[in-house]
Amino acid sequence: MAERCIFCRIVAGEVPASFLHQDEEVIAFRDIEPQAPTHILVVPKAHIPSIGELGQSELIGRLIQVANQVAQKEGIAKAGYRLVINCGREGGQVVPHLHLHLLGGRKLSGSLG
Ligand code: AMP
């Protein structure tokens, strides 16, 4: 059997993470190398390699909904935050399991890369 990716291992409880949200479809946990005071990953439990392979799905709406809820809980909703999805090598994606970055807690740079 192919080795599971790091996020599948977090979903399975094999690798520890600092969870902020868990439901039947989606988990959210703190990024291990935060790029901002708040840096949380919102991740579907299903192994979807990237946003480019999502197809027709309501899942993206669910991921954004969870990100918004977690931003509220973290107390950054009013000041504002950024949601980022990297796709593929040139898009800066390192972990091949769809995830949404929730970044906030400071004034983020206006640059998109
Ligand atoms: P990306 O470059 O969009 O694929 O982002 C992958 C993110 O996953 C990076 O910000 C990493 O710091 C983060 N990451 C990798 N392994 C872990 C882990 N075990 N727990 C939490 N975050 C992780």
Side-chain angles (χ1 to χ4, degrees):
M1 193 174 122
E3 205 174 293
R4 276 185 298 174
C5 81
I6 184 70
F7 290 173
C8 282
R9 295 188 65 209
I10 289 174
V11 168
E14 295 165 7
V15 171
S18 174
F19 290 102
L20 296 138
H21 175 95
Q22 297 195 61
D23 64 38
E24 322 77 58
E25 272 188 317
V26 179
I27 60 173
F29 53 90
R30 292 196 193 281
D31 196 291
I32 207 167
E33 281 183 50
Q35 305 298 311
T38 298
H39 188 172
I40 291 159
L41 300 172
V42 182
V43 178
K45 285 186 170 174
H47 181 83
I48 298 158
S50 78
I51 192 77
E53 287 158 88
L54 184 61
Q56 277 284 349
S57 169
E58 289 170 9
L59 185 59
I60 192 64
R62 183 68 194 129
L63 295 175
I64 291 172
Q65 196 178 34
V66 170
N68 289 340
Q69 287 166 359
V70 172
Q72 287 277 356
K73 276 198 235 167
E74 282 289 291
I76 60 169
K78 202 166 172 204
Y81 51 93
R82 183 173 293 170
L83 303 179
V84 174
I85 299 175
N86 296 324
C87 181
R89 185 173 46 83
E90 292 200 356
Q93 184 179 4
V94 174
V95 175
H97 181 133
L98 172 60
H99 53 281
L100 190 155
H101 296 257
L102 165 62
L103 296 150
R106 68 168 163 80
K107 177 88 173 78
L108 298 167
S109 133
S111 165
L112 288 176

